[in-house]
Amino acid sequence: AAKKSFGDGQIRAMFTGMNQYFLANRLSAEQQKGATTAINQMLSKQKVTAEELKGQLAEHGLPGVIDLFAQAAGFGNDTAKLFKAMEKGKVGIDTIQKALMLMGEESTRMRDEFGRSPVEMYQQSSQAAQIRAKNAWAEFSLQVMEGGLDQFVATLFDDIAKGLKFIMPYAKAFG
């Protein structure tokens, strides 16, 4: 949807800013997915609606995003004006573009304020460390399983299943 309205450079800048903003706000992968879906829906409709903005985007861990969209629409921090304009269908794709660019600017401001980019901040977070640990565990498990443990575990579970089938009549007798 965005390709029809923007050039490749604009799209790259908008989505880079958006992703950095998501990282700066420490959105989980699920929250990022939901927020991206909301933005894609806005882009497809070529307008901002309360459903996507308030009902999806803000609920995915970005409560300040409504103010950001109000600024992008030229209403300052007056969200009431933003919602009135949305009801009339007057908040279009240009506002979405500006809001995504503002997300990037906010990320830059955070980098300047904290001395680290949102990506660096995220990489040093416990959430990122948990993901690294999860990935390392998955890789370790794969190596162990490929090393022969998988066959052993499969045989063990087959033996357990055979044993359960064997004792089933006795269990029924007590039941």
Side-chain angles (χ1 to χ4, degrees):
K3 266 199 176 286
K4 294 178 185 174
S5 302
F6 308 112
D8 287 341
Q10 289 174 304
I11 293 169
R12 190 174 303 108
M14 290 184 325
F15 282 91
T16 297
M18 177 190 76
N19 286 320
Q20 288 181 349
Y21 188 74
F22 291 173
L23 289 175
N25 284 282
R26 295 192 177 198
L27 267 61
S28 68
E30 192 65 31
Q31 288 173 310
Q32 289 181 37
K33 181 180 176 184
T36 301
T37 298
I39 289 172
N40 283 331
Q41 289 172 348
M42 289 182 212
L43 289 169
S44 292
K45 293 177 182 179
Q46 297 196 356
K47 65 179 181 177
V48 181
T49 65
E51 170 60 28
E52 281 89 18
L53 182 58
K54 189 176 181 183
Q56 292 182 34
L57 198 55
E59 285 187 7
H60 283 96
L62 296 170
V65 79
I66 294 172
D67 290 331
L68 197 136
F69 269 80
Q71 292 168 17
F75 300 123
N77 288 327
D78 192 339
T79 58
K81 284 184 181 177
L82 173 67
F83 281 97
K84 285 179 187 173
M86 284 191 298
E87 286 174 15
K88 296 176 184 175
K90 295 190 176 191
V91 182
I93 199 158
D94 57 321
T95 299
I96 301 167
Q97 177 190 15
K98 289 176 188 171
L100 294 176
M101 298 303 279
L102 284 173
M103 288 179 184
E105 291 173 18
E106 179 65 14
S107 299
T108 300
R109 184 197 63 74
M110 292 175 79
R111 181 196 64 220
D112 293 345
E113 183 176 329
F114 299 111
R116 300 180 291 172
S117 74
V119 173
E120 291 168 326
M121 290 167 55
Y122 178 77
Q123 289 172 336
Q124 295 169 2
S125 72
S126 64
Q127 182 182 16
Q130 289 173 18
I131 291 169
R132 287 190 297 272
K134 180 181 173 184
N135 291 342
W137 180 257
E139 187 176 326
F140 170 77
S141 296
L142 179 64
Q143 293 298 318
V144 168
M145 291 300 178
E146 287 177 352
L149 184 61
D150 186 48
Q151 185 59 46
F152 170 77
V153 172
T155 303
L156 177 67
F157 282 116
D158 285 341
D159 290 344
I160 290 171
K162 288 175 188 172
L164 290 171
K165 285 181 184 178
F166 176 76
I167 64 170
M168 187 66 69
Y170 300 107
K172 285 182 183 177
F174 288 112

